[in-house]
Amino acid sequence: MPNHKHFSDRIALVTGSGRGIGRAIALHFASLGADVVVNFFRNRKPAEEVAEKIREIGRNALVIKANVGEIDEIKSMFHEIDENFGGLDFYISNAASGYNRPAMQQKPRGWDWTMNINARAFLFGAQYATPLMEKRGGGAMVSINGHQ
Ligand SMILES: NC(=O)c1ccc[n+]([C@@H]2O[C@H](COP(=O)([O-])OP(=O)(O)OC[C@H]3O[C@@H](n4cnc5c(N)ncnc54)[C@H](OP(=O)(O)O)[C@@H]3O)[C@@H](O)[C@H]2O)c1
């Protein structure tokens, strides 16, 4: 198993990691020796499958259902991470959703839904991630969302 000194025995949260790019990032963290929090919103089964793959690699995986568009759900996700791992090293904001409509057809509800998940989630996630990272002596946060 490849091991990297910067990632070995670290804890990584990757939002929206049951499928797509998030899944690839989660599995890559595990292959480098990190434990991974797999977050999903609608599709539990693929998220559980990612967690199973992470455990096969020999790392811990925690699956958390949370809609990152809701502040309360972001808060409880970080609380659960703290309860399980006592800290966090990496926060990768990857989850994305949205109503892709031409500007003249956008409606406030669809706009808010999109922005809350794709943009707002990273800011408030970062607020909750910070104390968990401070417990570990620091950390890193990355948003890979194209809407930032
Ligand atoms: N694909 C590209 O070409 C591309 C290019 C540039 C940037 N990006 C960025 O890369 C990231 C991933 O893209 P992707 O193509 O892999 O996306 P994707 O295949 O559409 O997957 C989206 C992921 O986000 C999760 N998700 C959706 N709404 C959520 C919510 N409210 N709360 C928590 N999780 C939620 C989904 O979970 P469920 O399965 O549970 O719904 C899924 O795991 C996005 O931030 C995107 O903007 C992608």
Side-chain angles (χ1 to χ4, degrees):
M1 183 181 82
N3 217 342
H4 192 289
K5 66 184 167 104
H6 297 301
F7 299 99
S8 182
D9 296 322
R10 303 295 177 117
I11 306 143
L13 162 66
V14 185
T15 64
S17 46
R19 57 193 173 91
I21 294 167
R23 177 184 190 275
I25 296 171
L27 292 174
H28 193 64
F29 266 114
S31 75
L32 294 171
D35 295 336
V36 184
V37 181
V38 179
N39 156 250
F40 75 100
F41 174 31
R42 290 196 171 101
N43 299 294
R44 177 176 289 277
K45 195 160 178 267
E48 294 288 357
E49 285 166 5
V50 172
E52 205 42 55
K53 278 191 174 292
I54 290 166
R55 292 179 194 120
E56 280 167 19
I57 292 167
R59 302 310 312 179
N60 291 323
L62 174 67
V63 177
I64 302 180
K65 175 178 176 163
N67 174 4
V68 301
E70 297 289 339
I71 303 288
D72 286 353
E73 295 190 33
I74 295 175
K75 184 179 178 183
S76 31
M77 174 171 66
F78 281 95
H79 181 71
E80 197 175 333
I81 293 168
D82 199 14
E83 298 254 286
N84 279 269
F85 293 105
L88 185 68
D89 298 296
F90 302 108
Y91 166 40
I92 311 299
S93 185
N94 165 82
S97 181
Y99 291 94
N100 290 322
R101 303 270 189 282
M104 294 304 284
Q105 291 168 28
Q106 274 293 357
K107 294 177 181 162
R109 212 169 146 208
W111 175 259
D112 288 348
W113 172 267
T114 306
M115 296 306 287
N116 288 350
I117 293 169
N118 296 359
R120 193 181 71 170
F122 183 54
L123 170 65
F124 293 100
Q127 287 186 356
Y128 291 114
T130 295
L132 273 66
M133 289 182 177
E134 282 172 349
K135 285 193 196 185
R136 308 263 303 168
M141 305 185 198
V142 176
S143 172
I144 70 154
N145 198 297
H147 298 80
Q148 294 291 94

